[in-house]
Amino acid sequence: MHSEVVASRSADQRDSSRESRNGTPQLDAVSLAIIQQLQEDGRRPYAAIGKAVGLSEAAVRQRVQKLLDQGVMQIVAVTDPLTVGFRRQAMVGVNVEGDVESIADALTAMSEVEYVVMTAGSFDILAEIVCEDDDHLLDVINKRIRALPGVRSTESFVYLKLKKQTYMWGTR
Amino acid sequence: MHSEVVASRSADQRDSSRESRNGTPQLDAVSLAIIQQLQEDGRRPYAAIGKAVGLSEAAVRQRVQKLLDQGVMQIVAVTDPLTVGFRRQAMVGVNVEGDVESIADALTAMSEVEYVVMTAGSFDILAEIVCEDDDHLLDVINKRIRALPGVRSTESFVYLKLKKQTYMWGTR
DNA sequence: GCCGCGTCTGCGAAATCCGCAATCTGCGAC
DNA sequence: GTCGCAGATTGCGGATTTCGCAGACGCGGC
């Protein structure tokens, strides 16, 4: 915890909420440092974070609350689905004819779908699916995803072993 | 607490820590409920969780600590990498000749690699990569991943738009 | 200058976290 | 059956943290 930031805060960067082109709030160095602290431990006390980033406890608290309200970050428990009773997971590559985004929205609406991203490459969309068993997985892929109008084809990659899953962006 | 290894081998271990085939602890309904609470809000007070799941504050605290120690779950801040300054992400499918696991381990060791999973299907491994820009991404894929001995081929899917990213397993 | 807005700080009260000792509960050994 | 053990749970102080708010500060607009 010797990640002293000691930002030259008094200088100019007191706008932690400047907006960039797409409306996403731009983060300053201090907020980034706060996020890093919470990526290491989501329950770290505000006072400890404040000491690390050079802010008072109350200021850290306000910034964290704002980051949560803005949806920039969320503090949650994450697990390996396998240990929580979901025995089948798969990544599904989807090819679409027509409007890709509307298909992506339809996938997003499915509760079994954990992750949806539009990509460049031989798939238009990648979607991660979390299911309880093989029947459930088969049902989602064949009856629900392939049934969507505009889905040209799909390819499935059933998970055998999860090797790594980190949440340390920005910590490098 | 000098928690000695105990090593009480599969003797009794009732409930919340019975081991399944692969050594992963099996979770009972109460621990599952606790995880669900923390998936909604990683900073929810132990007393509030206890009220929701029917345990005392101290019992919840003890179980949460155990879940963290066992690595069953972690409580962290998660963000959209794009808002934190990482502009290029990609999923890379890898085909391997020889030992798949050792390649997966090598990928796991790379800090730019956020997610590694071994799969059944036309790829042996899927790895998610988070980079700062195109040059960085190109470098990781071409110079580092393809250079690994045993990597037969790779296929990249550059992210265009992240549509969904949830952490609500078990909350359905 | 004056005012407004957003952020930071300090501080007291309330709530929470932490550690520990006592108690309870299964379950195998005898 | 009883005994003993080990993990789980509870209750309870004391330390710590969270919370809300009033005041101060910096900065730009007028």
Side-chain angles (χ1 to χ4, degrees):
Chain A
M1 62 173 65
H2 34 287
S3 54
E4 66 217 48
V5 169
V6 191
S8 56
R9 183 161 27 82
S10 55
D12 53 0
Q13 50 184 220
R14 28 178 63 273
D15 56 341
S16 60
S17 59
R18 182 176 29 206
E19 304 251 331
S20 66
R21 229 180 269 90
N22 56 356
T24 316
Q26 198 70 9
L27 304 176
D28 66 8
V30 178
S31 288
L32 224 45
I34 291 174
I35 292 174
Q36 287 176 213
Q37 293 287 318
L38 289 170
Q39 281 174 337
E40 289 174 18
D41 176 6
R43 274 180 170 262
R44 183 162 298 170
Y46 295 130
I49 298 172
K51 212 168 302 179
V53 307
L55 236 53
S56 71
E57 175 267 338
V60 172
R61 180 154 39 89
Q62 287 174 133
R63 282 193 181 231
V64 168
Q65 193 55 54
K66 198 167 106 179
L67 290 170
L68 295 174
D69 290 344
Q70 287 175 154
V72 173
M73 77 173 178
Q74 44 187 138
I75 300 175
V76 294
V78 295
T79 63
D80 177 356
L82 283 175
T83 67
V84 199
F86 293 98
R87 312 199 189 165
R88 283 295 176 272
Q89 291 175 261
M91 187 70 74
V92 179
V94 182
N95 276 307
V96 174
E97 56 190 353
D99 185 21
V100 178
E101 191 126 14
S102 67
I103 299 291
D105 288 335
L107 292 170
T108 296
M110 299 181 187
S111 68
E112 292 89 349
V113 174
E114 152 77 14
Y115 192 72
V116 176
V117 62
M118 297 165 55
T119 64
S122 61
F123 296 124
D124 296 311
I125 299 173
L126 287 175
E128 189 182 54
I129 301 180
V130 178
C131 287
E132 286 159 33
D133 52 41
D134 288 325
D135 287 341
H136 191 188
L137 181 60
L138 204 61
D139 186 72
V140 171
I141 294 175
N142 285 344
K143 301 239 177 82
R144 311 234 261 117
I145 295 181
R146 286 195 151 122
L148 291 174
V151 170
R152 191 199 307 272
S153 65
T154 69
E155 182 169 356
S156 304
F157 305 92
V158 175
Y159 285 14
L160 298 177
K161 183 170 189 178
L162 183 62
K163 294 288 292 186
K164 183 182 190 181
Q165 184 187 29
T166 55
Y167 304 91
M168 293 291 150
W169 306 306
T171 304
R172 304 203 278 271
Chain B
M1 72 167 80
H2 4 65
S3 62
E4 55 320 319
V5 186
V6 181
S8 66
R9 163 148 328 195
S10 78
D12 84 69
Q13 309 215 308
R14 37 190 269 269
D15 265 354
S16 63
S17 58
R18 184 172 23 213
E19 306 245 336
S20 64
R21 220 179 272 93
N22 55 358
T24 316
Q26 197 72 9
L27 303 177
D28 66 7
V30 178
S31 289
L32 222 46
I34 291 174
I35 292 174
Q36 287 177 213
Q37 293 286 318
L38 290 171
Q39 282 174 337
E40 291 174 16
D41 177 5
R43 274 180 171 261
R44 184 162 296 170
Y46 295 130
I49 298 172
K51 211 167 301 178
V53 308
L55 277 184
S56 70
E57 176 267 341
V60 172
R61 177 155 40 90
Q62 186 175 305
R63 286 173 91 124
V64 167
Q65 193 56 54
K66 199 168 104 181
L67 290 170
L68 294 174
D69 290 343
Q70 289 174 153
V72 173
M73 76 172 179
Q74 43 187 141
I75 300 176
V76 295
V78 295
T79 64
D80 176 358
L82 283 175
T83 67
V84 200
F86 293 99
R87 312 198 186 166
R88 284 294 176 271
Q89 290 175 265
M91 186 71 74
V92 178
V94 182
N95 276 305
V96 174
E97 55 190 355
D99 185 20
V100 178
E101 192 126 14
S102 66
I103 298 291
D105 287 335
L107 292 171
T108 296
M110 299 181 187
S111 68
E112 291 90 349
V113 174
E114 151 78 12
Y115 192 71
V116 176
V117 61
M118 297 167 55
T119 64
S122 60
F123 295 124
D124 296 312
I125 298 173
L126 287 176
E128 189 182 54
I129 301 179
V130 178
C131 288
E132 285 158 33
D133 52 41
D134 288 325
D135 287 342
H136 191 188
L137 181 60
L138 203 61
D139 185 73
V140 171
I141 294 175
N142 285 345
K143 302 239 176 81
R144 310 233 261 119
I145 294 180
R146 287 196 152 120
L148 291 174
V151 169
R152 191 199 306 272
S153 65
T154 69
E155 182 169 355
S156 304
F157 306 92
V158 174
Y159 285 14
L160 298 178
K161 183 170 188 178
L162 183 62
K163 295 287 291 183
K164 184 181 189 181
Q165 184 186 30
T166 55
Y167 303 92
M168 293 292 150
W169 305 306
T171 305
R172 305 205 277 272

